[in-house]
Amino acid sequence: MPGWPVCVVQMNVLVLNSGSSSLKFQLIATDPGRTEESGTQNQVVESGAERLCRGVVERIGGEAIITVQSPRSPKQKLTASLPDIRTSLEYLLRWMDESRVTENRAVADIDAIGHRIVHGGELFTESTIITDTVREGIEECIDLAPLHNPNNLKGILASREVFGPKVPQVAVFDTSFHHSIPEHAFLYAVPYHLYRRHHIRRFGFHGTSHRFVSERYRALRGLQIEQTNLITLHLGNGCSAAAIRGGRSVDTSMGMTPLEGLMMGTRSGDIDPAVVNIIATKEGLSLNEVDTLLNMQSGLLGVSGLTNDMRLLQQELKDQDNRRVRLAIQMFCYRARKYVGAFLACMGGADAIVFTGGIGENSAEIRAEICAGLEWAGLRLDHEKNDQMTGQEGEISTNDSRLHAFVIPTDEELLIARDTIRCILDETRISDQRASSKVA
Ligand code: ADP
């Protein structure tokens, strides 16, 4: 492994999230952040970051729609024929150069690329520089995330083609934050050999989001890692809860796949597994079709019969008192509260609940409804503060609340950018040490 030519503190990191026909990107100029060590985990205490541009390429493979924006140019929607990720990346680079998003530097000077990788299985417990071996490892995890890891890999290969081997690439896994969950919490109570043979276990997802808000909470309250005990609720289209004790994930609501746990936009969340067979038999569906039904047609959409979009559901409820919409929202909040209660019991109590994700960051009503049954646990919501907290960071519980509640907007891309720099700096340090020990 070469020592990467890194001598700057701040770097331009291109963060990529490649899907089946889409490519989300952000170019972030950031430093790795001041970190503190605890056990095997580093946690960021402070960092500086500037968002140079962001956007998404959709409908790759045909006439693609490219949405881009930067502080220097307002949001634009463009179209171009882009057959694959490689041509999409090349298109974005041309746009960045033409739009002069990096002011003084050529975009060709992108220092590193950070990839969001959905599944790292049991192989990857932390972010890592992408080598051939790492690529093979991500391939090995395809079985665990057949819809995501292959597309993530395509993003890695295309980046290599476009930027060449001199630009380091780093994989940041959605699962790795949860590797600290103990065996008794991650195992399912099925024959143990299924775990051994097929890795049937809970992995958890949204790890970058849970980790980001946990680190941010810690920085806000000036805590040591060992004092960082909280429950994070990521409520977006996908929803999950994490129990974080001593800064480490000790349990989470999503399982082997993102289907388990909280009720979500289109996913059912927890369900009696026997229901799968019953639905298949009664409705004459294949197992794959039931899987699709539980992932794509359930949750808020399935119960309301209208939409998976919480904002629209709330609007509908204001406009007309639709019983199924009310029920869907009630179920959503009830399930979230139930997980908070369960995690409080598992952790022996926590100091705070942190709301994040599109719903958690923006909907005071949903936050209030989730917190409404938690007074017994010492949570007292400050309704005025809660009502004012939309898409911004701050505490929403009263000063005398024993269990605090916070809203912290997530920033997964920033975490990926920071991890990318940290992995590169670590690697450079190791190869420098190797080189100097050879000389000695
Ligand atoms: P994703 O998981 O796809 O990243 P987001 O985190 O953006 O999704 O969350 C999307 C969800 O957030 C949608 O259900 C949307 O309606 C909801 N949301 C966004 N803004 C608001 C708001 N002001 N009030 C209620 N829900 C909101």
Side-chain angles (χ1 to χ4, degrees):
M1 160 69 59
W4 305 110
V6 178
C7 54
V8 287
V9 182
Q10 196 168 67
M11 294 165 74
N12 286 345
V13 181
L14 180 64
V15 176
L16 295 178
N17 181 357
S18 37
S20 58
S21 63
S22 71
L23 177 68
K24 288 194 192 134
F25 76 97
Q26 280 198 25
L27 183 61
I28 302 178
T30 186
D31 57 47
R34 189 169 69 79
T35 59
E36 283 178 6
E37 251 179 64
S38 166
T40 56
Q41 271 199 322
N42 288 319
Q43 291 207 354
V44 174
V45 185
E46 285 166 17
S47 86
E50 189 190 348
R51 209 82 38 162
L52 300 175
C53 64
R54 65 201 301 173
V56 59
V57 186
E58 291 165 293
R59 299 197 200 162
I60 296 173
E63 193 61 11
I65 300 172
I66 307 109
T67 313
V68 280
Q69 66 185 104
S70 79
R72 304 173 129 250
S73 65
K75 193 168 179 173
Q76 304 171 56
K77 254 191 193 319
L78 309 158
T79 54
S81 172
L82 298 174
D84 51 27
I85 299 183
R86 183 196 164 127
T87 47
S88 304
L89 272 175
E90 287 166 345
Y91 180 95
L92 289 175
L93 287 186
R94 277 197 302 279
W95 173 80
M96 288 181 204
D97 262 337
E98 283 160 13
S99 312
R100 298 187 48 73
V101 295
T102 53
E103 202 165 1
N104 299 321
R105 302 175 67 192
V107 164
D109 289 341
I110 283 176
D111 298 298
I113 301 168
H115 294 270
R116 176 181 179 231
I117 308 293
V118 167
H119 220 306
E122 292 188 322
L123 281 177
F124 298 105
T125 56
E126 58 188 359
S127 306
T128 179
I129 298 243
I130 298 173
T131 59
D132 288 347
T133 319
V134 168
R135 229 169 8 89
E136 283 162 22
I138 298 172
E139 259 169 44
E140 271 179 49
C141 297
I142 283 179
D143 248 8
L144 297 168
L147 298 179
H148 295 103
N149 275 28
N151 297 315
N152 298 159
L153 277 165
K154 282 184 195 157
I156 293 171
L157 291 172
S159 304
R160 171 87 180 204
E161 281 169 20
V162 172
F163 293 96
K166 287 238 167 82
V167 177
Q169 300 192 48
V170 168
V172 179
F173 301 90
D174 231 18
T175 46
S176 62
F177 180 56
H178 300 301
H179 87 276
S180 44
I181 295 176
E183 195 176 25
H184 67 264
F186 75 63
L187 277 182
Y188 294 116
V190 295
Y192 192 78
H193 69 261
L194 293 174
Y195 166 53
R196 282 273 168 256
R197 272 189 214 157
H198 309 295
H199 306 283
I200 305 291
R201 56 159 286 183
R202 172 176 297 113
F203 286 99
F205 298 87
H206 288 150
T208 43
S209 177
H210 291 296
R211 195 177 126 208
F212 180 88
V213 296
S214 160
E215 291 179 359
R216 189 69 206 131
Y217 163 80
R218 187 182 149 225
L220 277 176
R221 301 204 67 194
L223 301 171
Q224 301 295 315
I225 293 178
E226 307 76 52
Q227 301 169 308
T228 311
N229 302 318
L230 71 160
I231 294 168
T232 46
L233 287 173
H234 177 108
L235 308 177
N237 265 321
C239 301
S240 66
I244 298 171
R245 183 148 199 86
R248 295 156 70 87
S249 173
V250 293
D251 206 344
T252 191
S253 59
M254 281 181 168
M256 177 153 185
T257 78
L259 183 56
E260 191 181 351
L262 303 180
M263 178 171 164
M264 313 182 206
T266 61
R267 295 191 190 113
S268 64
D270 291 340
I271 189 168
D272 178 347
V275 168
V276 172
N277 197 0
I278 296 172
I279 295 176
T281 309
K282 301 258 183 212
E283 292 279 311
L285 299 176
S286 68
L287 286 182
N288 274 342
E289 286 167 334
V290 179
D291 193 72
T292 305
L293 181 142
L294 294 176
N295 273 291
M296 311 293 292
Q297 295 149 26
S298 301
L300 292 171
L301 170 67
V303 177
S304 72
L306 270 184
T307 172
N308 61 321
D309 190 308
M310 181 61 92
R311 207 171 354 185
L312 296 180
L313 289 176
Q314 289 181 315
Q315 193 54 52
E316 172 75 12
L317 204 53
K318 278 183 193 130
D319 294 346
Q320 46 194 328
D321 191 18
N322 180 322
R323 192 189 86 82
R324 293 250 306 269
V325 169
R326 186 161 19 93
L327 184 62
I329 296 177
Q330 209 176 16
M331 287 170 67
F332 181 91
C333 296
Y334 173 78
R335 185 81 63 94
R337 197 187 312 135
K338 190 162 145 179
Y339 262 92
V340 171
F343 283 173
L344 283 172
C346 297
M347 299 166 72
D351 299 320
I353 298 174
V354 174
F355 290 92
T356 194
I359 300 172
E361 291 165 23
N362 295 301
S363 177
E365 289 103 324
I366 298 296
R367 293 192 301 253
E369 171 108 14
I370 292 171
C371 294
L374 290 170
E375 292 81 4
W376 63 270
L379 176 58
R380 296 183 58 190
L381 203 65
D382 182 324
H383 288 276
E384 209 171 303
K385 280 196 220 159
N386 183 42
D387 288 346
Q388 284 162 8
M389 207 67 73
T390 303
Q392 48 171 324
E393 176 180 273
E395 183 162 3
I396 54 171
S397 45
T398 60
N399 292 338
D400 62 348
S401 190
R402 269 189 298 116
L403 177 61
H404 299 268
F406 281 79
V407 175
I408 300 182
T410 194
D411 195 338
E412 295 166 83
E413 289 79 10
L414 178 57
L415 189 139
I416 292 172
R418 282 178 188 156
D419 264 21
T420 300
I421 301 182
R422 237 158 333 126
C423 284
I424 293 165
L425 292 178
D426 285 352
E427 188 58 42
T428 308
R429 237 172 265 133
I430 291 166
S431 19
D432 284 354
Q433 277 164 6
R434 274 197 211 118
S436 59
S437 66
K438 265 189 201 155
V439 172

